[in-house]
Amino acid sequence: MADWREQVTRLYLSDLDLAGFRAARDALFAGHPQSPIPLTERARFTGLRYFPAEPSAVVDVPVRPASGMLSIDTGGPDGVVHYRRSGIAETPWGPLTLWWIEAYGGGLFLPFRDGTAGRETYGGGRYLTDTVKGTYGRGLTVLPGGRLRLDFNYAYNASCAYDDRWACPLAPEENRIAAPIRAGERVYH
């Protein structure tokens, strides 16, 4: 798993444009031994499904302070994972809470579920960043002055969207927005 995370981190920190990033991500999912794509499906795997690039899905937004905790039972060997609210991003589609994972090393986490969930995208929602998994600097960039750049063209599915053997924290109620965001990764099947 260490090599998978290193490869993901290298991909997210690369200088590839969106098309190159998507092609490299598809190759990683097709060929890496730790890919979340089930082994039985890899021979016929031709790539993930994405919405076309959407310039309006890139927004610079203010972040206001937030406090409180959230605990999510993963239903798997990770048990209960604790998250601390780090801030609330005021997006054009509605507020989204940014979380800090309260575990060794910590990490930023931004799960969301929008109006496309269950039809065009995975029903449990998608992630914009999960730095524990190495997804740095594409979906979420911290800007000066208490602002964030959110690029939903890099929204992606949690591993459980591809295979039931994975247990994933899904978007909490406060990160569920009614507006559709037609950018990023689409439903796998």
Side-chain angles (χ1 to χ4, degrees), residues 55-102:
S56 67
V58 182
V59 293
D60 290 0
V61 299
V63 179
R64 62 182 160 88
S67 63
M69 298 291 293
L70 173 72
S71 298
I72 298 176
D73 187 345
T74 65
D78 291 337
V80 177
V81 179
H82 304 282
Y83 301 86
R84 178 177 41 84
R85 286 178 186 86
S86 296
I88 299 175
E90 298 294 345
T91 80
W93 305 279
L96 291 173
T97 300
L98 179 62
W99 302 92
W100 182 261
I101 301 168
E102 291 286 314

Side-chain angles (χ1 to χ4, degrees), residues 9-96:
T9 300
R10 288 180 185 279
L11 176 59
Y12 273 79
L13 293 175
S14 73
D15 60 358
L16 294 169
D17 64 6
L18 181 63
F21 173 86
R22 289 176 172 181
R25 190 162 184 262
D26 285 346
L28 185 63
F29 272 59
H32 197 280
Q34 295 299 317
S35 169
I37 302 298
L39 281 172
T40 58
E41 296 179 21
R42 287 192 199 160
R44 61 185 185 279
F45 177 75
T46 59
L48 300 169
R49 299 176 57 223
Y50 301 97
F51 287 102
E54 178 53 61
S56 67
V58 182
V59 293
D60 290 0
V61 299
V63 179
R64 62 182 160 88
S67 63
M69 298 291 293
L70 173 72
S71 298
I72 298 176
D73 187 345
T74 65
D78 291 337
V80 177
V81 179
H82 304 282
Y83 301 86
R84 178 177 41 84
R85 286 178 186 86
S86 296
I88 299 175
E90 298 294 345
T91 80
W93 305 279
L96 291 173

